[in-house]
Amino acid sequence: MATTPTENRGTWNTKFGFILAAAGSAVGLGNIWRFPTEAASNGGAAFLIIYIICVTLIGLPVMIAELSIGRSTQKNPVGAFKALSTNKFFPLVGFWGVLCGVMILSFYTIIAGWTFSHVFVEIFTFAGWHSAAELLADSENGWINAIFAMLFMGLTIVIIRGGVSEGIERATKLMMPLLVFILVIMTLYVVFQPGAAEGLEVYLKPDFSMITGELVLAALGQAFFSLSLGMGALITYGSYLSKKENIVEAASFVTLADVGIAFLAGLLIMPTIFLAQAQGVEIYDETGNFLAGPALIFQILPELFSQMGGFLGLTIGISFFFLLSLAALTSTISLLEVPTSYIIDEHGVRRKKAALYVGLTVLALSIIISFNTGLIGDIDYIFSVIGLPLGGLLICIFIGYFWKTRSAVDEMKNGFKDIRDSWFTTVWSVFIKFICPIIIVIILAQTIFG
């Protein structure tokens, strides 16, 4: 028997739980492997400074906008646009966000499985079972990809089936502090190793001569993607937020957490890369740039851990890939919650069934991609690189010119009574109506046309 949506939507128990869950959505593999090498290749701390400015001036206003839409309607992205506008186009914007979440999750689950499989690669390498380690490390092995994608999706489904407070909030309250703890401990170990200073200098020493339009666009892109904007995750998470909470304050804490973890990841990754170079591991590609992404995580660093040898190499290797697995899981949770919330709200399906149906559907896509990993780049480009900024742009247009910024500000008054009398109202409205859309269009144009 179907239920009404309000029976199984749920709410966050605490603002702290929401902040950890939303930060978990934002903190993903991109924070760990993309941000540090982006910074190192683009002027070190100069990139970091531009990135923080972009997160504050572009990412934060759009995040506040999404949370306002979600809490105002207490619905999923599709239902939210239906509730706020009679224009039939905007529910399609919500559906685009749901679709982006599904398609991103379909390949992200595979990459997340790679991170988890490498925990066992480290163990098998230490035990001398090199054939088994090589088998698990082969990212082109469709069966291995599918098996670990199943494991990761299974865990994600279990958490989503538990509900908002007892599933998502409880899990992220455990995982996010653990993630930060492991990150801090590993960083403290690495930065005091001989040879780490060179990596710290590359990462932290600003080279302002490298600040160009291209660098600013790179920082803007990283800021936008790192905050999970444009795919409806924050609309969905905002829909579970109590009316007594201050949206602006909550969004600021989420942004701060995302930036802080990205910064810490840089303190870990860049010295580690140079430690690897000291061990004779190649860290540059043929163009002279740092190897990034999967090449960094699944080739360079495992070789370093192997050369460390003994129990130390095993401990560092397992800790690192467990850290990555936690970061990936906090993101897959939010990615699955978006379409699950849509099924609950729009079709009246109970949460446990909705999570299972959506999870298995996405898993079927993941298994297909597992045997055709070349599809990952195309799907990522369409639904992440293009899809998320496009979603963010349309959200800004909707709030600025259809729902109107004054309506969003009225929603923000819940928990922030004096907002209409503050400077924030005017500044935020200008950014949502003019500055954010213009900059997002520039990002999209640069991405599409080069």
Side-chain angles (χ1 to χ4, degrees):
M1 177 179 177
T3 63
T4 59
T6 54
E7 287 184 67
N8 56 155
R9 291 203 89 253
T11 57
W12 307 111
N13 279 334
T14 63
K15 180 170 69 175
F16 181 65
F18 159 75
I19 290 170
L20 288 181
S25 173
V27 173
L29 296 175
N31 290 69
I32 309 295
W33 73 34
R34 185 173 180 228
F35 175 79
T37 49
E38 280 283 322
S41 301
N42 291 282
F47 178 89
L48 178 62
I49 293 168
I50 299 297
Y51 170 74
I52 292 173
I53 293 172
C54 292
V55 165
T56 304
L57 298 184
I58 307 301
L60 181 58
V62 177
M63 179 184 293
I64 292 169
E66 291 200 35
L67 292 177
S68 299
I69 291 173
R71 192 176 70 174
S72 175
T73 60
Q74 297 187 339
K75 293 180 181 293
N76 68 90
V78 177
F81 284 111
K82 283 182 181 178
L84 296 177
S85 175
T86 57
N87 189 310
K88 294 183 179 180
F89 171 74
F90 286 104
L92 296 177
V93 175
F95 187 77
W96 174 249
V98 174
L99 179 62
C100 285
V102 167
M103 296 308 297
I104 292 170
L105 181 58
S106 70
F107 72 81
Y108 198 89
T109 305
I110 297 169
I111 300 174
W114 291 346
T115 68
F116 189 53
S117 70
H118 272 70
V119 172
F120 298 96
V121 170
E122 294 298 314
I123 295 172
F124 292 166
T125 300
F126 177 77
W129 302 339
H130 298 293
S131 296
E134 290 176 4
L135 177 65
L136 291 183
D138 182 7
S139 62
E140 298 301 316
N141 188 311
W143 291 108
I144 296 297
N145 291 341
I147 289 170
F148 280 93
M150 288 179 193
L151 290 173
F152 223 93
M153 180 58 78
L155 181 55
T156 305
I157 291 172
V158 168
I159 292 171
I160 295 299
R161 280 166 60 91
V164 177
S165 59
E166 296 304 311
I168 300 171
E169 184 172 353
R170 177 177 289 183
T172 51
K173 276 185 174 179
L174 171 65
M175 290 189 293
M176 287 302 291
L178 182 59
L179 184 153
V180 173
F181 174 76
I182 295 173
L183 185 56
V184 169
I185 294 299
M186 290 190 68
T187 300
L188 289 175
Y189 171 79
V190 168
V191 298
F192 289 109
Q193 295 304 302
E198 185 177 357
L200 288 173
E201 183 177 2
V202 169
Y203 180 55
L204 296 176
K205 183 179 179 180
D207 182 357
F208 293 109
S209 67
M210 293 187 68
I211 296 181
T212 61
E214 187 176 346
L215 180 146
V216 173
L217 285 174
L220 276 167
Q222 177 67 24
F224 199 91
F225 301 136
S226 70
L227 291 173
S228 295
L229 302 174
M231 66 176 182
L234 293 170
I235 292 177
T236 303
Y237 275 18
S239 73
Y240 306 133
L241 195 59
S242 166
K243 291 285 187 179
K244 69 181 181 180
E245 301 297 352
N246 185 325
I247 285 178
V248 176
E249 181 183 72
S252 300
F253 279 125
V254 172
T255 303
L256 183 63
D258 179 72
V259 171
I261 290 176
F263 175 72
L264 271 177
L267 291 180
L268 169 64
I269 295 296
M270 288 314 301
T272 302
I273 289 175
F274 280 87
L275 289 178
Q277 184 184 45
Q279 296 291 332
V281 179
E282 181 57 54
I283 65 172
Y284 297 100
D285 62 20
E286 62 276 4
T287 63
N289 293 320
F290 289 104
L291 288 167
L296 166 65
I297 299 302
F298 301 121
Q299 295 177 29
I300 292 177
L301 298 186
E303 189 172 343
L304 172 63
F305 302 147
S306 178
Q307 290 185 10
M308 285 181 175
F311 187 72
L312 175 62
L314 174 66
T315 303
I316 296 294
I318 289 177
S319 299
F320 179 75
F321 285 111
F322 185 67
L323 166 70
L324 285 184
S325 298
L326 286 175
L329 183 57
T330 58
S331 293
T332 59
I333 288 170
S334 67
L335 287 167
L336 183 58
E337 177 61 19
V338 174
T340 298
S341 177
Y342 166 72
I343 296 297
I344 291 170
D345 289 351
E346 303 305 308
H347 300 283
V349 179
R350 292 183 183 276
R351 170 170 284 275
K352 289 186 177 182
K353 286 186 176 180
L356 183 62
Y357 295 161
V358 175
L360 292 179
T361 300
V362 177
L363 180 59
L365 292 173
S366 298
I367 291 173
I368 294 172
I369 298 169
S370 292
F371 291 89
N372 301 273
T373 53
L375 294 172
I376 291 177
D378 295 332
I379 298 173
D380 181 41
Y381 181 78
I382 295 170
F383 294 101
S384 179
V385 177
I386 301 297
L388 299 190
L390 179 60
L393 172 64
L394 294 172
I395 287 170
C396 289
I397 291 172
F398 173 75
I399 289 187
Y401 302 98
F402 289 86
W403 189 38
K404 304 295 186 181
T405 53
R406 65 176 177 271
S407 298
V409 171
D410 284 340
E411 175 58 36
M412 293 178 214
K413 285 170 62 178
N414 296 302
F416 191 175
K417 295 186 182 300
D418 300 326
I419 190 170
R420 276 209 173 276
D421 300 321
S422 71
W423 58 267
F424 173 84
T425 301
T426 301
V427 173
W428 180 79
S429 297
V430 169
F431 270 80
I432 287 297
K433 293 178 73 172
F434 304 109
I435 296 177
C436 292
I438 290 171
I439 291 176
I440 293 172
V441 167
I442 293 172
I443 293 173
L444 283 169
Q446 175 68 21
T447 301
I448 296 171
F449 302 110

